Amino acid sequence: MRKHNQIHRQVHRGELEYLLHNKSSGRIYRFSPLVYGVIGLMDGRRTVQEIWELSVQRHGDQAPGQDEILQLLSQLFAADVLLVDVEPDLEALLRIREQRSAPSRGRPRGNPLFFRIPLLDPDRFLSASFPLFKVLFSWPFLLLALLCFAGAALQLRLHWAAFTSSGLERVLTLENMAIIFLLYPLVKGMHELSHGYAVKKWGGEVHEMGLMVLVFMPLPYVDASSASLFPGKWQRFAVGAAGIYMELLLATLAVFSWLAWEPGLARTVAFNLIVISGLSTLLFNANPLVKFDGYYMLSDLLELPNLGPRSRQQLALLVRRYLFGLSPEGEVVTTRREQGWLLAYGLSSILYRTGISLAILWYLSSRYLGLGLGLALFGIWVMLAAPLVKAAGSLEATAVRQGKRGVFLARTGLLLVGGLLVLLVPLPHLSVLEGVLRLPEESYLRPGGDGVVSEIVAREGSQVRPGELLIRCSDPGLVNRLTVLQSQLREYRQRYQLALAVDQTEARIIEEQLQPLEQRIGRLREQQEALTISSQVKGRFILANGADLVGRFVPKGALLGYVLNRATIVRVAVEQPSIELVRSSRPQVELRSVAAPAMVLQGTILRELPGATNTLPSPVLGSAGGGRIPVESDDSGNFTTFERVFLIDLALAKPLDAILVDQRILVRFDHGRASLAWRFYRFCRQLFLRRLDG
């Protein structure tokens, strides 16, 4: 072994492991005690044959075979940690050095959305400045910081409405994006330096600092990989959490500053610090499904080094064994608990990273069509086609080594045929949209004025006829005013009769006073009659809140009940991409209410309202009311849709209970059968047409 290599010991899940650190390249290699025993026999005097024979004597049947010894030697040679007494192959050494140093020179290998550019060695600077920041990693300061974190989180929760209303809608404005562009590298620089100081806390070294290009955004980074050599898992965990810890400190200061400062530039900066250092850090840096801080923290917490590569290796082993019938080669996980963690993490990370990549490509294609298409094609090659080609070649080579090439080809053919069947065989094609149960206006029971519900005349649930009295309300103040005015009217009429016999002029004056008094009494009687609610249509009488309605004060226009009949309809808002399918779907539809999902209803398509509109039939269908259609609010408080929608009316097979009135209804349309390939083609076609129209 070369002299620039160091050996470290670690214990994972009770098992001893050895780490070989190549200080010239900074790379770390992990070995089991058995392999380390073989490496320990390499003293520069023994031949390979002697090393293998001694290993067999010491370990018996568990000793590595000759092929495994040769594989180990080739790996050590490729890692540039091995000295041999033969003439070196300079061309091979140069090729190895080129391959090993290519990533460090910042080449965007494989993924143009993420690569690194090393710039300098910060180790001396971190060592010199560490005493200034040492207090941040002390237990008293950590406990104080946790209390401050809790206080800031509580304050932000109490002022969440003000926080969201004051700035979230302006995050993507040009001025605010300029502030974010200036703040983000500074915050991430402090984040990365905190990793470096955490490494220094336990005596590690940091020899690389540079820029990381993430989705075309240059960000600073620090190589804290030497922390993986620390013997204690909590030390390694602390190094991974140091960046999040620093950003939460910044977010805490920003929260209290945002609460104390008046609106202005300083408060806007504090707001953006909260978003960058608090919300985005918890959502992204602490997320273990991407290879940021959360990944290393989870790996150290579970004591599963190389969690990502091992999870992918475990998935590959299962694919080889159960899909292609090949015997496992390479590392095999020995415990079921490890298998469970690796499988769960592997599947979750693949789905998450694929979803994030697709979301980024979708956003870019919606803004920049040419760039989005180029990156989409490149992403399909990098994330799908190239891995499949590489995996197919590796599987075929394994099948040839194991003498199972025929089995491999047969199973591959079956998988291809099965995939084509899945793509081309027509399957039931359904779509679920949202609507609202609407009644004719005459079916709603509302008082014509303010009053108190004094009596429910009709029995709830009974069939009523037009004109039948249902609810009686009263207004004591109105009754008193009417009584006083009626007494005045009787008095004026008596005076008028007396004046007719004595003084005609006085009689005319009294008569002029009678007319406005009678008009006031008429208006009060109309108001009193408006408090008496009768049915205008035939149907079933349902109260909105029958249990405690009597004796309650109700304002004018308050909903007290309904009269349900067969005129009930469900009005569905259909977005433009779905209107063609809805028009061609079968007339029979299935409905479920969000308020009562167990109730399945049947209906038929009645009509389509002419033209598209930006106004929804009910606020509950918009995103502001819990629906899925994006809406925006104007100055008057009304909500309008960003894109025009079509309105479809559905007739129900039978009248419904009042609990569903004005509630969001899920409507399932049956479009017959269609293959997945056709649906994907239709989706892409709509995407291009929408983009070209824009």
Side-chain angles (χ1 to χ4, degrees):
M1 306 296 294
R2 295 184 181 271
K3 293 182 179 181
H4 58 251
N5 301 301
Q6 290 183 345
I7 301 294
H8 301 264
R9 291 160 52 98
Q10 284 184 359
V11 177
H12 295 283
R13 296 178 176 270
E15 298 291 334
L16 179 64
E17 291 185 351
Y18 291 88
L19 280 71
L20 188 150
H21 181 206
N22 186 341
K23 300 189 68 175
S24 66
S25 66
R27 294 178 177 267
I28 299 171
Y29 306 91
R30 193 177 302 273
F31 300 106
S32 66
L34 187 63
V35 175
Y36 175 70
V38 176
I39 295 176
L41 296 175
M42 299 177 185
D43 59 357
R45 295 185 298 272
R46 296 186 179 95
T47 65
V48 176
Q49 178 69 22
E50 292 172 344
I51 291 173
W52 176 71
E53 291 176 351
L54 285 174
S55 176
V56 172
Q57 292 177 10
R58 292 183 180 181
H59 304 290
D61 294 338
Q62 295 182 349
Q66 292 183 353
D67 292 340
E68 293 173 320
I69 292 289
L70 294 177
Q71 184 180 6
L72 173 63
L73 291 173
S74 65
Q75 291 174 347
L76 294 174
F77 178 75
D80 194 25
V81 299
L82 195 64
L83 278 173
V84 294
D85 60 352
V86 297
E87 193 70 23
D89 187 345
L90 297 180
E91 184 177 348
L93 287 175
L94 181 62
R95 185 168 58 252
I96 291 172
R97 295 289 178 88
E98 286 286 333
Q99 293 175 353
R100 188 175 67 246
S101 60
S104 64
R105 290 199 299 269
R107 296 179 185 173
R109 301 180 64 190
N111 191 351
L113 301 180
F114 174 77
F115 58 93
R116 292 181 173 184
I117 305 175
L119 296 178
L120 53 91
D121 184 343
D123 191 70
R124 295 179 63 182
F125 167 77
L126 293 174
S127 298
S129 58
F130 176 69
L132 300 176
F133 300 93
K134 186 177 181 180
V135 66
L136 296 177
F137 302 97
S138 63
W139 279 108
F141 191 90
L142 178 60
L143 295 177
L144 178 61
L146 292 176
L147 292 176
C148 292
F149 294 162
L154 178 60
Q155 290 295 325
L156 192 61
R157 175 65 182 88
L158 294 176
H159 297 84
W160 184 253
F163 178 78
T164 54
S165 63
S166 66
L168 283 183
E169 70 277 5
R170 296 192 294 271
V171 167
L172 297 180
T173 61
L174 185 61
E175 297 82 359
N176 198 75
M177 289 301 295
I179 296 175
I180 292 178
F181 186 79
L182 294 174
L183 287 177
Y184 203 80
L186 296 176
V187 172
K188 294 306 174 184
M190 298 181 67
H191 174 110
E192 294 299 322
L193 286 176
S194 64
H195 286 306
Y197 287 125
V199 172
K200 288 297 178 182
K201 165 72 175 175
W202 286 283
E205 297 179 354
V206 179
H207 291 290
E208 185 177 306
M209 186 174 184
L211 289 178
M212 172 180 62
V213 180
L214 180 62
V215 195
F216 310 115
M217 180 72 172
L219 300 172
Y221 81 91
V222 165
D223 183 6
S225 59
S226 63
S228 59
L229 300 173
F230 294 161
K233 76 171 183 179
W234 291 111
Q235 296 173 349
R236 301 190 297 272
F237 182 87
V239 172
I244 299 174
Y245 170 61
M246 177 60 70
E247 290 204 42
L248 290 181
L249 285 176
L250 294 175
T252 299
L253 294 175
V255 168
F256 292 118
S257 301
W258 179 80
L259 293 172
W261 291 340
E262 295 295 328
L265 179 60
R267 199 167 194 255
T268 303
V269 171
F271 170 84
N272 285 285
L273 278 176
I274 296 172
V275 174
I276 296 172
S277 303
L279 303 180
S280 67
T281 296
L282 295 176
L283 291 176
F284 296 101
N285 282 95
N287 185 355
L289 297 179
V290 288
K291 207 168 184 179
F292 293 144
D293 297 339
Y295 165 82
Y296 297 102
M297 294 163 61
L298 179 64
S299 179
D300 292 323
L301 192 64
L302 298 178
E303 298 187 61
L304 289 175
N306 300 322
L307 178 60
R310 291 180 65 188
S311 64
R312 292 190 292 271
Q313 183 184 30
Q314 183 65 21
L315 290 174
L317 290 176
L318 294 179
V319 169
R320 292 180 182 218
R321 174 180 295 174
Y322 295 106
L323 287 184
F324 297 99
L326 303 177
S327 302
E329 293 183 352
E331 180 184 0
V332 179
V333 178
T334 56
T335 65
R336 290 189 174 273
R337 186 178 180 184
E338 284 185 348
Q339 288 181 355
W341 279 113
L342 294 177
L343 288 177
Y345 181 83
L347 293 174
S348 301
S349 62
I350 290 174
L351 293 176
Y352 178 81
R353 285 183 293 177
T354 302
I356 288 294
S357 300
L358 291 177
I360 293 174
L361 293 174
W362 174 271
Y363 175 80
L364 292 176
S365 63
S366 64
R367 292 290 186 272
Y368 316 101
L369 184 59
L371 176 63
L373 287 176
L375 288 176
L377 294 175
F378 184 81
I380 291 174
W381 169 255
V382 171
M383 293 186 297
L384 185 63
L388 286 178
V389 171
K390 183 178 179 181
S394 175
L395 288 171
E396 184 179 12
T398 303
V400 171
R401 285 196 302 269
Q402 298 180 6
K404 299 180 179 180
R405 190 169 186 273
V407 175
F408 167 75
L409 294 177
R411 295 200 178 192
T412 302
L414 289 176
L415 288 175
L416 291 175
V417 172
L420 290 176
L421 290 177
V422 170
L423 290 176
L424 301 178
V425 171
L427 301 173
H429 191 193
L430 307 171
S431 62
V432 178
L433 303 177
E434 294 182 346
V436 62
L437 184 66
R438 299 294 294 171
L439 301 175
E441 188 58 35
E442 57 270 17
S443 296
Y444 293 91
L445 304 177
R446 310 178 190 272
D450 300 340
V452 176
V453 178
S454 57
E455 182 183 5
I456 306 297
V457 180
R459 180 173 56 85
E460 183 178 10
S462 62
Q463 294 291 328
V464 297
R465 300 182 302 275
E468 182 176 346
L469 180 62
L470 303 178
I471 304 173
R472 183 179 286 113
C473 299
S474 62
D475 184 354
L478 178 63
V479 173
N480 293 336
R481 292 196 300 273
L482 185 59
T483 302
V484 171
L485 291 177
Q486 287 175 341
S487 299
Q488 292 179 358
L489 180 62
R490 288 193 297 269
E491 179 184 350
Y492 273 85
R493 284 176 176 175
Q494 291 175 0
R495 291 173 56 191
Y496 176 73
Q497 294 297 330
L498 292 174
L500 283 176
V502 178
D503 188 349
Q504 294 293 327
T505 301
E506 183 180 358
R508 285 196 297 273
I509 294 174
I510 295 174
E511 185 179 11
E512 291 176 356
Q513 294 176 345
L514 279 173
Q515 185 175 1
L517 187 59
E518 290 173 346
Q519 291 176 352
R520 291 177 60 189
I521 292 175
R523 287 195 296 270
L524 290 178
R525 285 176 175 171
E526 290 177 357
Q527 295 178 18
Q528 192 175 36
E529 291 176 358
L531 293 175
T532 302
I533 305 173
S534 301
S535 175
Q536 300 182 45
V537 295
K538 180 181 179 181
R540 189 157 60 96
F541 172 50
I542 299 294
L543 290 173
N545 294 285
D548 55 353
L549 192 58
V550 177
R552 179 193 299 179
F553 172 81
V554 291
K556 179 181 178 180
L559 181 62
L560 302 183
Y562 316 86
V563 177
L564 301 180
N565 56 21
R566 291 189 176 274
T568 303
I569 63 170
V570 172
R571 182 156 292 177
V572 184
V574 184
E575 297 174 279
Q576 295 188 36
S578 303
I579 186 61
E580 180 185 352
L581 287 174
V582 172
R583 287 170 177 166
S584 62
S585 62
R586 299 175 182 177
Q588 190 75 21
V589 295
E590 184 177 289
L591 305 94
R592 291 177 185 264
S593 171
V594 175
M599 183 184 302
V600 181
L601 309 169
Q602 300 296 327
T604 56
I605 299 178
L606 186 61
R607 58 180 174 269
E608 177 185 343
L609 275 65
T613 179
N614 288 98
T615 304
L616 294 175
S618 174
V620 300
L621 299 181
S623 55
R628 68 180 187 181
I629 299 178
V631 295
E632 60 178 346
S633 176
D634 55 21
D635 296 335
S636 61
N638 297 321
F639 292 98
T640 58
T641 60
F642 288 97
E643 296 184 357
R644 298 172 70 85
V645 297
F646 296 85
L647 301 179
I648 303 289
D649 283 346
L650 307 177
L652 299 179
K654 60 181 181 179
L656 299 179
D657 293 333
I659 190 175
L660 304 182
V661 175
D662 292 324
Q663 298 288 332
R664 192 163 62 253
I665 304 292
L666 301 179
V667 184
R668 191 178 75 176
F669 291 90
D670 186 356
H671 311 305
R673 303 176 74 86
S675 65
L676 295 179
W678 180 86
R679 298 183 203 182
F680 181 73
Y681 162 75
R682 181 179 178 275
F683 170 79
C684 295
R685 180 173 175 270
Q686 287 184 337
L687 175 63
F688 283 110
L689 291 177
R690 181 183 299 182
R691 178 58 186 164
L692 292 175
D693 288 342

